[in-house]
Amino acid sequence: KNEVEQSPQNLTAQEGEFITINCSYSVGISALHWLQQHPGGGIVSLFMLSSGKKKHGRLIATINIQEKHSSLHITASHPRDSAVYICAVTISSGSARQLTFGSGTQLTVLP
Amino acid sequence: DGGITQSPKYLFRKEGQNVTLSCEQNLNHDAMYWYRQDPGQGLRLIYYSQIVNDFQKGDIAEGYSVSREKKESFPLTVTSAQKNPTAFYLCASSQDISPLHFGNGTRLTVT
């Protein structure tokens, strides 16, 4: 079983819809990351959080440490949001900055 | 602007040849990482380096080698011993507890 599980694997939405991507993990962590990978392959860090909630523009990330669960929400989705969204965790017992990654959620927003 | 430069974007090699992927950063980050991405799988750590002239194996180091002679450079060599070298390779860097910064990746195809 993967230590980081994302759902759904693929998501298609209409422009303007509210989107939720989920991430569950099975290990103790010191931080959780949400990343965005565009079709060209480059990855951008969206959020790093260890508790509560963070918001940046139309993106909101939440984490529930007790339930080992995080969600990424996109409000008023737009075709430019189409990308792969990746959840990753920094494991508490890991050395350096070793991250464990989920397999990603492919989001397609249709105009 | 600071960032990570990976070159080339696409690389083609014949089986049995060694190939070196370049990664340069001007963010003055101490730590650098190499990840491999395969379809449907999360990123997997190949090697990482926390300081110049020092590096450690990640989860899938077999068939790969690295060097860290300068702070800004962390080249990855894919050797002929790597059984399945065709993949997308991502370089990243970080400083302390800051989020990872990623390059745009190199897609290696070995035939």
Side-chain angles (χ1 to χ4, degrees):
Chain A
K1 187 180 185 301
N2 291 336
E3 290 172 323
V4 181
E5 298 275 0
Q6 285 185 238
S7 63
Q9 283 189 305
N10 295 282
L11 181 57
T12 300
Q14 290 296 135
E15 183 173 355
E17 284 186 6
F18 180 84
I19 288 163
T20 297
I21 299 170
N22 296 299
C23 176
S24 297
Y25 52 92
S26 57
V27 294
I29 68 168
S30 56
L32 183 140
H33 310 255
W34 280 104
L35 311 169
Q36 181 188 54
Q37 184 171 31
H38 280 282
I43 292 178
V44 174
S45 179
L46 298 174
F47 295 103
M48 184 173 75
L49 63 166
S50 54
S51 65
K53 176 179 170 178
K54 286 191 175 181
K55 183 175 189 294
H56 185 259
R58 295 179 295 105
L59 302 178
I60 303 166
T62 64
I63 187 168
N64 184 318
I65 298 294
Q66 286 73 31
E67 294 186 5
K68 290 187 166 61
H69 181 269
S70 175
S71 293
L72 176 69
H73 305 287
I74 304 176
T75 62
S77 59
H78 190 276
R80 65 174 174 267
D81 297 325
S82 298
V84 175
Y85 291 84
I86 300 170
C87 174
V89 298
T90 305
I91 296 176
S92 299
S93 60
S95 62
R97 288 293 311 285
Q98 292 198 51
L99 273 65
T100 299
F101 295 81
S103 57
T105 295
Q106 174 69 63
L107 171 65
T108 303
V109 181
L110 302 174
Chain B
D1 280 341
I4 298 180
T5 301
Q6 287 188 245
S7 60
K9 189 171 177 62
Y10 299 97
L11 192 52
F12 298 89
R13 281 293 183 271
K14 294 288 187 188
E15 195 173 318
Q17 292 179 335
N18 290 355
V19 58
T20 297
L21 282 59
S22 169
C23 177
E24 303 278 331
Q25 56 104 352
N26 60 4
L27 298 164
N28 201 35
H29 286 173
D30 286 320
M32 296 187 74
Y33 310 80
W34 273 107
Y35 293 96
R36 171 182 171 137
Q37 187 177 38
D38 293 285
Q41 295 189 40
L43 277 70
R44 292 181 290 168
L45 181 66
I46 305 172
Y47 267 98
Y48 66 99
S49 167
Q50 294 178 264
I51 197 167
V52 174
N53 291 324
D54 186 52
F55 48 83
Q56 285 80 40
K57 293 182 180 179
D59 300 320
I60 55 165
E62 185 176 348
Y64 299 98
S65 66
V66 294
S67 63
R68 187 86 186 276
E69 296 176 3
K70 297 185 295 183
K71 187 175 186 177
E72 58 269 24
S73 179
F74 191 40
L76 173 74
T77 296
V78 185
T79 75
S80 56
Q82 168 48 234
K83 296 197 186 324
N84 296 297
T86 294
F88 187 60
Y89 292 89
L90 281 154
C91 179
S93 71
S94 71
Q95 185 68 33
D96 299 324
I97 61 168
S98 68
L100 287 178
H101 289 252
F102 287 86
N104 286 327
T106 292
R107 191 166 299 280
L108 173 65
T109 302
V110 177
T111 57

